[in-house]
Amino acid sequence: MDFNSMIANVRRAMSLDRTFYQEVAYDERYNQEALMVVIVVSVLTGIGAFLGGLFSFNFVGALIGLIVGVLLAVARYYIWAYIAYFVGKSMFQGQATPPQLLRTLGYAYGPTALAVFSFIPCLGGLIALLGGIWSLVCGFFAVREAHRLSDGQTIVTLVVGWLIAVILTLIVTGIFGIGALGMGAAFGR
């Protein structure tokens, strides 16, 4: 896999290049690269959480933040893709298959790499939020082109899918957060 090509493709996706999303939706050669984008972005998200924990002088919490951050970022990607598939297909007779949405949304996930800056006091959370919003906008193009939906149908598909993904993420984060608090207490932090 060519890393320079992957960066160029992520740039095209982040610039909301409609033809790029059409190309990715129907070309299986992008499967591995889209997943690699998600993994790299997930690691960057985890690094941001890790650094935030280190700056709080909580190494155990930082390590847990790294691991959970990576796992949640990858899980959110799969949840988002399958929910977008289900909602678009069942509500609007969308034409995408799960692999097509996994490819297009994999590239749309690129802007969430800004979460690597989440450790910066005051601004980090805002930067991560902007990355998440940018990713959602990219997701709009990814879902619209893969499912071949109208703009309104795409917005409904994204909003419903995003809300479900956020709720599931909050549940999982709550479960892991309680576990992390217990481990922090056990290690005296």
Side-chain angles (χ1 to χ4, degrees), residues 38-39 41-47 49 64-76:
V38 172
I39 291 169
V41 166
S42 299
V43 168
L44 290 172
T45 300
I47 289 171
I64 291 170
L66 173 65
I67 294 166
V68 171
V70 170
L71 293 176
L72 281 178
V74 172
R76 264 192 314 263

Side-chain angles (χ1 to χ4, degrees), residues 162-184:
W162 184 80
L163 286 173
I164 292 170
V166 166
I167 290 167
L168 290 174
T169 300
L170 288 174
I171 290 169
V172 171
T173 302
I175 292 168
F176 279 109
I178 291 169
L181 284 174
M183 286 185 71

Side-chain angles (χ1 to χ4, degrees), residues 26-69:
Y26 300 103
D27 191 341
E28 292 179 4
R29 292 178 292 176
Y30 288 101
N31 284 348
Q32 185 179 10
E33 189 175 274
L35 180 58
M36 185 58 66
V37 169
V38 172
I39 291 169
V40 168
V41 166
S42 299
V43 168
L44 290 172
T45 300
I47 289 171
F50 178 75
L51 292 173
L54 284 181
F55 289 141
S56 299
F57 302 104
N58 183 354
F59 181 75
V60 173
L63 192 57
I64 291 170
L66 173 65
I67 294 166
V68 171

Side-chain angles (χ1 to χ4, degrees), residues 7-18:
I7 296 296
N9 287 336
V10 170
R11 280 191 202 144
R12 286 181 68 195
M14 290 172 60
S15 70
L16 310 176
D17 182 346
R18 178 180 175 185

Side-chain angles (χ1 to χ4, degrees), residues 115-169:
V116 73
F117 299 112
S118 64
F119 69 93
I120 299 171
C122 299
L123 289 177
L126 180 61
I127 293 169
L129 176 64
L130 290 174
I133 292 168
W134 190 359
S135 179
L136 197 56
V137 172
C138 291
F140 171 85
F141 287 89
V143 170
R144 185 181 70 184
E145 298 308 320
H147 259 317
R148 297 182 183 169
L149 299 175
S150 71
D151 289 351
Q153 292 170 331
T154 302
I155 289 171
V156 170
T157 300
L158 277 178
V159 169
V160 169
W162 184 80
L163 286 173
I164 292 170
V166 166
I167 290 167
L168 290 174
T169 300

